[in-house]
Amino acid sequence: MLGNFSYCNPTKLYFGKGSIKYLADELPKYGKNVVLIYGGGSIKKNGIYDETVKILRSCGKNVAEIAGVMPNPTLKKLHEGVQIARRAKADLLLAVGGGSVCDYAKAVAVSVHCEEDPWEKYYVRFEEPDCEILPVGCVLTMVGTGSEMNAGAVITNTDAKLKIGHVFKDERVMPRFSVLDPEYTFTLPRHQMTAGIFDIFSHICEQYFSGEDDNTSDYLAEALMRSLLHSSRIANANMTDYEARSNIMWTATWALNTLIACGKSTDWEVHMLGQAVGAHTDATHGMTLSAVSLAYYRHIMPYGLKKFVRFAENVWDVDPDGKTDEQTAEAGLAAMESWMRELGLAMNITQLGATADMIEAIADSTLIMQGGYRVLTRDEVVKILKESL
Ligand code: NZQ
Ligand code: ZN
């Protein structure tokens, strides 16, 4: 590895069936006032809400609630939550849900004691918090984002049509603890499960497709991808296969908890394209990534050919014998495409509601990253988006 890095991950995890009981070990570490944060109601239907509230009550907590956090949480909702958390004098924010709820809790955590406008400070100027940060705990119900063990918080500004993620450097923004029970994900609709699987895959690719050095992070990334492919096929055939779902859950956490970014410049352009599509369509995050990935990777393949050959051989078992490097690399992407079709992922942005006349505006919302194999021009962004229609 040639890059320098620092590594710190303070999130404590409780993994496996019945892990919710460990909430009772964590809660006494915080003050009396807990703000319970959740989404549109899935946790009320599947019983997770009742289990959580029972433990909160048994630990003697005062519980206020922020309900109705939508997928792709909005700035307006952030402002509303900040007011609720201030009124409740929150000592702990407990997020029970998927990446949207966990991200949202982190955004509230850095905003409650912030005197400035959080959008301007964190999502326009990308500053770090200089105020008190409320502690966040998570009970995860949807797998994919890695939000349970990272400092990322993505917020959508619907007026500006911008969906922006801030990955905070301050590790105090990371959840203090997260409860990961694979059975809690069994009630997810199939398309959410597969969107999450692709989100995980994309997170690994975003870090893998960068840099030229021989790097331990890349070997870890390949192992995570192989595990994910294996388990995704089992889970797709049988959504309640605990072993497969638990492997997927654990892979998601390691795919984006900073480990495999160590020593890497990392790309993240697929996420920038996907988030721009998301800002204009409000489509499911993982599906926005699947819809743009193939056009993007085929576009940048010539600039990172060696890594695409390695990807084909080590992740997709492509035999390079008798093939040019370009043919091996393309065979890898073809194998990836057929896996994506097998999972039933969105293969183009038209399926997500984007139309040709939206391309220029989506390109305007696309941030250009510097760390991958190609720094895109605006014309290239437009070309990739058109190829994704
Ligand atoms: O709102 P409810 O009713 O709970 O329903 C949710 C939601 O509709 C449902 N759901 C969650 N758990 C369920 C369930 N339904 C049935 N049973 C369960 N057990 O699933 C839907 C999607 O939930 P959401 O939290 O939006 O999904 P996800 O985990 O994919 O999170 C997406 C958000 O995370 C951001 C995305 O941009 C998006 O805003 N990301 C965060 C990242 C990070 N923190 O590092 C990185 C990612 O790349 C991503 O950008
Ligand atoms: Zn993602």
Side-chain angles (χ1 to χ4, degrees):
M1 307 172 72
L2 301 179
N4 292 8
F5 58 89
S6 69
Y7 179 78
C8 172
N9 197 319
T11 305
K12 181 163 186 175
L13 299 179
Y14 296 98
F15 191 97
K17 281 182 203 179
S19 294
I20 190 74
K21 67 176 183 230
Y22 296 108
L23 203 50
D25 293 346
E26 287 297 325
L27 291 174
K29 298 177 188 170
Y30 305 93
K32 271 210 157 296
N33 301 327
V34 177
V35 176
L36 177 62
I37 305 178
Y38 56 96
S42 70
I43 65 163
K44 290 209 165 158
K45 289 192 204 115
N46 59 23
I48 299 172
Y49 175 87
D50 288 341
E51 282 190 273
T52 307
V53 168
K54 203 169 141 200
I55 298 172
L56 284 164
R57 297 275 179 233
S58 72
C59 291
K61 300 296 181 184
N62 303 322
V63 183
E65 293 193 4
I66 303 173
V69 176
M70 61 292 281
N72 312 317
T74 62
L75 179 60
K76 192 163 167 258
K77 186 74 184 171
L78 173 61
H79 286 142
E80 179 194 316
V82 167
Q83 294 311 321
I84 294 172
R86 280 181 185 160
R87 275 199 304 274
K89 298 194 172 13
D91 297 310
L92 173 71
L93 304 175
L94 184 63
V96 185
S100 293
V101 174
C102 298
D103 276 21
Y104 175 86
K106 291 179 232 173
V108 173
V110 295
S111 303
V112 167
H113 296 287
C114 175
E115 281 165 14
E116 297 165 72
D117 173 19
W119 178 259
E120 287 294 323
K121 184 174 177 65
Y122 301 128
Y123 295 94
V124 176
R125 299 198 301 273
F126 287 97
E127 288 171 12
E128 289 295 307
D130 38 27
C131 58
E132 184 189 335
I133 302 169
L134 287 178
V136 170
C138 299
V139 177
L140 196 66
T141 67
M142 153 91 196
V143 166
T145 63
S147 190
E148 65 277 12
M149 205 186 196
N150 70 36
V154 183
I155 293 294
T156 298
N157 182 331
T158 43
D159 294 340
K161 289 233 181 301
L162 287 173
K163 182 179 182 190
I164 307 283
H166 188 161
V167 182
F168 290 92
K169 290 188 183 67
D170 193 325
E171 63 263 12
R172 288 174 305 159
V173 183
M174 288 180 172
R176 300 293 169 93
F177 64 89
S178 287
V179 172
L180 277 63
D181 182 340
E183 282 189 337
Y184 276 15
T185 68
F186 281 6
T187 52
L188 275 171
R190 178 180 294 273
H191 77 279
Q192 290 291 353
M193 178 188 79
T194 53
I197 289 169
F198 193 78
D199 193 20
I200 302 167
F201 193 78
S202 179
H203 294 158
I204 304 171
C205 288
E206 298 272 30
Q207 298 164 91
Y208 182 75
F209 287 114
S210 68
E212 310 281 349
D213 57 334
D214 186 39
N215 190 320
T216 299
S217 294
D218 289 336
Y219 295 86
L220 292 168
E222 286 166 356
L224 290 171
M225 286 192 268
R226 291 188 73 94
S227 168
L228 181 66
L229 297 178
H230 178 74
S231 296
S232 69
R233 291 188 164 118
I234 298 170
N236 197 32
N238 175 11
M239 286 187 59
T240 54
D241 185 305
Y242 180 85
E243 195 176 17
R245 297 297 291 269
S246 68
N247 281 325
I248 294 169
M249 191 174 220
W250 194 222
T251 304
T253 304
W254 285 95
L256 195 51
N257 70 355
T258 75
L259 177 82
I260 63 166
C262 288
K264 304 277 308 177
S265 57
T266 74
D267 183 359
W268 296 105
E269 194 58 50
V270 168
H271 271 66
M272 296 307 110
L273 290 158
Q275 281 171 205
V277 171
H280 288 263
T281 61
D282 198 28
T284 299
H285 172 65
M287 296 299 185
T288 65
L289 306 175
S290 62
V292 301
S293 281
L294 288 161
Y296 175 70
Y297 284 126
R298 288 194 165 113
H299 182 83
I300 65 155
M301 186 178 36
Y303 305 97
L305 188 59
K306 257 175 73 180
K307 185 53 85 54
F308 281 91
V309 169
R310 178 173 164 173
F311 176 67
E313 292 179 25
N314 293 358
V315 179
W316 300 99
D317 295 328
V318 173
D319 181 356
D321 257 14
K323 294 188 185 72
T324 63
D325 281 355
E326 285 77 6
Q327 286 167 335
T328 303
E330 173 48 39
L333 290 179
M336 173 172 153
E337 179 170 353
S338 100
W339 168 69
M340 290 167 69
R341 291 189 188 280
E342 196 184 316
L343 290 187
L345 296 165
M347 301 304 285
N348 55 65
I349 60 175
T350 310
Q351 281 172 265
L352 305 176
T355 51
D357 61 345
M358 291 162 70
I359 294 294
E360 290 295 328
I362 297 174
D364 287 341
S365 306
T366 305
L367 305 186
I368 308 281
M369 304 304 278
Q370 308 290 320
Y373 289 124
R374 170 91 189 147
V375 178
L376 299 181
T377 63
R378 193 179 184 284
D379 287 350
E380 286 173 291
V381 170
V382 169
K383 180 172 177 284
I384 291 163
L385 288 170
K386 283 186 176 161
E387 281 168 8
S388 303
L389 274 169

